[in-house]
Amino acid sequence: TLFDPQIDLLPDADAGTPRTGDAAISAAIIDLLGRDRRHELRSLRIERGTLRSGGQTWMSNLALKLTGGVNSDLRLSATGLHLGQPLLVKADVAPVSARERRPVRTTIVAPAFTASFDGVLFGPRSLDAEGRLDVAIVDGSAIARRLALPEAHASLLDGLTASGTARFTWPSIQVRDARIERGQTRLDGSIEATFQGGRTALAATLDAQRFDVTSALAPLVAAAADQEGRWSAEPLARGWLNAGALDLRLSTGQLIVGAATIENAALSLQLGGGRMDLALSDGRLRGGTVKGRLSLIDAPDSRMELRLQGSCDRLDIAHVASLAGLQRMRGLANGQASLKAAGASVAALVAGVEGRMEAAVRDGELPGFDLDRL
């Protein structure tokens, strides 16, 4: 039984390094899961421990109980606080089955999510395992705070489930045959996440038959104006630009944006280092093609820079105009736009927009249009 120990999850690269004090305790605990027959310890109990990874506290107030041995069942139960929130971890590791593989079942229960893993453990000293992973989010607000997402988007995470075949090589997780579902939305593909120093780096390549971003854009549109309908002068939130790293690639047969449906769309979203880039590299709208890139960059003096580039080819003006409530425009348009702005609020960004827009219309008509009004 150990009281108040500090336990570090150590990578294989450090396995041959002599250790003293807490480091020696950490190595002995990890070796319990290995095949070193010199160890006679068959049970371990920890009270008020601290679990660390990459020099950062991962779990505090740790209460852990581990029973078993090299050639017998290992059972682990741990409770504690992860980022101030209660966390429960249970694991059952069976004896070696073949080629040092040990079947393992793990359950994690937290206020914000539940997760389960059913697979095999390859290299216990490096927490190397592969198997079936299932995750369900029950509190989107807590996850949104963890990822530094705007609170307005927290509800989009409620009820989200994810599953797939996962390979753990701490501190990284790779998930193939991944499936993410929420309501009628389903995404399939691959995901890779790395947890290092309290920061999360996430990369994903996903496909969907239909993907509706209207609900995700609604809070942003609402926040752009004040209660009187004017552009908002509230300072822009910029912390999320530095919260972590995200590289998302999405292909979908139908991309729904409000009343518009873009077919065969290819999207990418990159976030990190004080910058966000959202790109539509390909998409078809009523027979025409549309492309565009929106960039938001954290700038000095509490400002944010906005850059927008876009182009269209053979775009049906009548269809686009109808989406905006206009009925008296017809034709096919080729065009491009390049705009930029900088400011500390939406109002400042709009007031500072500058750039260039060009359009050429074939077979165009403005029947009965008031040119002064236009």
Side-chain angles (χ1 to χ4, degrees), residues 49-62:
T50 301
L51 189 63
R52 291 162 54 89
S53 175
Q56 301 291 323
T57 297
W58 190 81
M59 200 167 181
S60 61
N61 198 27
L62 173 65

Side-chain angles (χ1 to χ4, degrees), residues 98-130:
R99 295 186 180 180
E100 301 185 16
R101 296 187 178 190
R102 305 193 69 171
V104 57
R105 291 185 177 182
T106 303
T107 301
I108 300 176
V109 180
F113 71 96
T114 61
S116 62
F117 176 77
D118 189 350
V120 293
L121 193 63
F122 296 106
R125 290 182 178 84
S126 60
L127 301 182
D128 186 3
E130 183 174 17

Side-chain angles (χ1 to χ4, degrees), residues 40 85 161 266 272 352 361:
E40 297 298 331
Q85 296 291 317
T161 62
V361 181

Side-chain angles (χ1 to χ4, degrees), residues 32-34 41-42 66-76 91-95 102-103 121 124:
L32 277 175
L33 302 177
L41 187 60
R42 290 295 177 265
L66 175 66
T67 60
V70 174
N71 294 312
S72 61
D73 289 341
L74 280 170
R75 298 184 183 277
L76 178 145
D92 292 325
V93 184
R102 305 193 69 171
L121 193 63

Side-chain angles (χ1 to χ4, degrees), residues 26 36 48 51 82 93 113 118 122 134 141 185-186 198 222 230 243 250 255 257 270 277 281 288 295 331 351 356 373:
S26 304
D36 192 339
R48 302 187 305 271
L51 189 63
H82 173 60
V93 184
F113 71 96
D118 189 350
F122 296 106
D134 291 279
S141 295
T185 300
R186 173 179 148 183
R230 298 172 299 190
L250 173 67
L255 178 65
V257 187
Q270 294 180 311
D277 291 287
S281 57
S295 299
R356 184 179 182 86
R373 185 181 174 198

Side-chain angles (χ1 to χ4, degrees), residues 25-365:
I25 295 174
S26 304
I29 293 171
I30 297 302
D31 283 345
L32 277 175
L33 302 177
R35 300 181 64 251
D36 192 339
R37 298 178 184 274
R38 294 174 300 172
H39 292 289
E40 297 298 331
L41 187 60
R42 290 295 177 265
S43 67
L44 173 68
R45 182 166 163 260
I46 291 174
E47 296 291 344
R48 302 187 305 271
T50 301
L51 189 63
R52 291 162 54 89
S53 175
Q56 301 291 323
T57 297
W58 190 81
M59 200 167 181
S60 61
N61 198 27
L62 173 65
L64 179 145
K65 184 177 181 181
L66 175 66
T67 60
V70 174
N71 294 312
S72 61
D73 289 341
L74 280 170
R75 298 184 183 277
L76 178 145
S77 175
T79 61
L81 298 177
H82 173 60
L83 298 176
Q85 296 291 317
L87 183 67
L88 166 67
V89 179
K90 288 186 176 182
D92 292 325
V93 184
V96 174
S97 58
R99 295 186 180 180
E100 301 185 16
R101 296 187 178 190
R102 305 193 69 171
V104 57
R105 291 185 177 182
T106 303
T107 301
I108 300 176
V109 180
F113 71 96
T114 61
S116 62
F117 176 77
D118 189 350
V120 293
L121 193 63
F122 296 106
R125 290 182 178 84
S126 60
L127 301 182
D128 186 3
E130 183 174 17
R132 171 77 179 185
L133 175 68
D134 291 279
V135 179
I137 295 178
V138 295
D139 183 356
S141 295
I143 299 296
R145 288 193 297 270
R146 176 70 178 88
L147 300 177
L149 296 175
E151 181 63 27
H153 287 96
S155 61
L156 301 177
L157 300 174
D158 290 333
L160 184 145
T161 62
S163 61
T165 301
R167 181 67 185 263
F168 291 80
T169 307
W170 188 263
S172 296
I173 303 174
Q174 300 88 34
V175 184
R176 65 180 185 272
D177 300 326
R179 175 169 295 178
I180 301 173
E181 295 180 285
R182 183 183 180 275
Q184 300 299 315
T185 300
R186 173 179 148 183
L187 303 171
D188 297 283
S190 61
I191 305 171
E192 181 173 355
T194 301
F195 310 95
Q196 195 78 39
R199 293 174 62 86
T200 301
L202 180 65
T205 301
L206 302 170
D207 295 300
Q209 293 184 346
R210 183 179 184 274
F211 191 65
D212 193 337
V213 298
T214 306
S215 56
L217 294 177
L220 300 178
V221 174
D226 59 23
Q227 295 181 348
E228 298 179 0
R230 298 172 299 190
W231 294 115
S232 174
E234 292 292 322
L236 291 166
R238 307 189 335 274
W240 57 276
L241 291 173
N242 295 283
L246 174 65
D247 185 357
L248 172 63
R249 313 294 172 120
L250 173 67
S251 300
T252 177
Q254 291 185 323
L255 178 65
I256 312 299
V257 187
T261 300
I262 301 175
E263 298 179 340
N264 300 326
L267 279 172
S268 67
L269 174 62
Q270 294 180 311
L271 174 65
R275 180 184 181 115
M276 183 206 77
D277 291 287
L278 175 62
L280 175 65
S281 57
D282 195 15
R284 299 188 66 82
L285 184 61
R286 289 290 291 266
T289 61
V290 290
K291 300 179 181 180
R293 175 182 291 271
L294 171 67
S295 299
L296 294 174
I297 305 167
D298 196 5
D301 302 325
S302 301
R303 297 185 307 157
M304 185 180 290
E305 291 184 9
L306 180 148
R307 299 175 186 174
L308 176 64
Q309 293 181 319
S311 64
C312 65
D313 182 54
R314 297 184 60 81
L315 188 63
D316 186 339
I317 295 180
H319 177 65
V320 176
S322 66
L323 298 177
L326 302 175
Q327 304 296 331
R328 296 178 177 274
M329 301 177 70
R330 289 195 288 269
L332 298 177
N334 295 341
Q336 56 186 5
S338 179
L339 306 173
K340 63 180 181 179
S345 66
V346 174
L349 285 175
V350 173
V353 168
E354 59 181 16
R356 184 179 182 86
M357 299 176 67
E358 297 179 350
V361 181
R362 288 174 288 180
D363 301 324
E365 294 183 22

Side-chain angles (χ1 to χ4, degrees), residues 17-26:
T17 305
R19 304 183 184 91
T20 60
D22 284 342
I25 295 174
S26 304

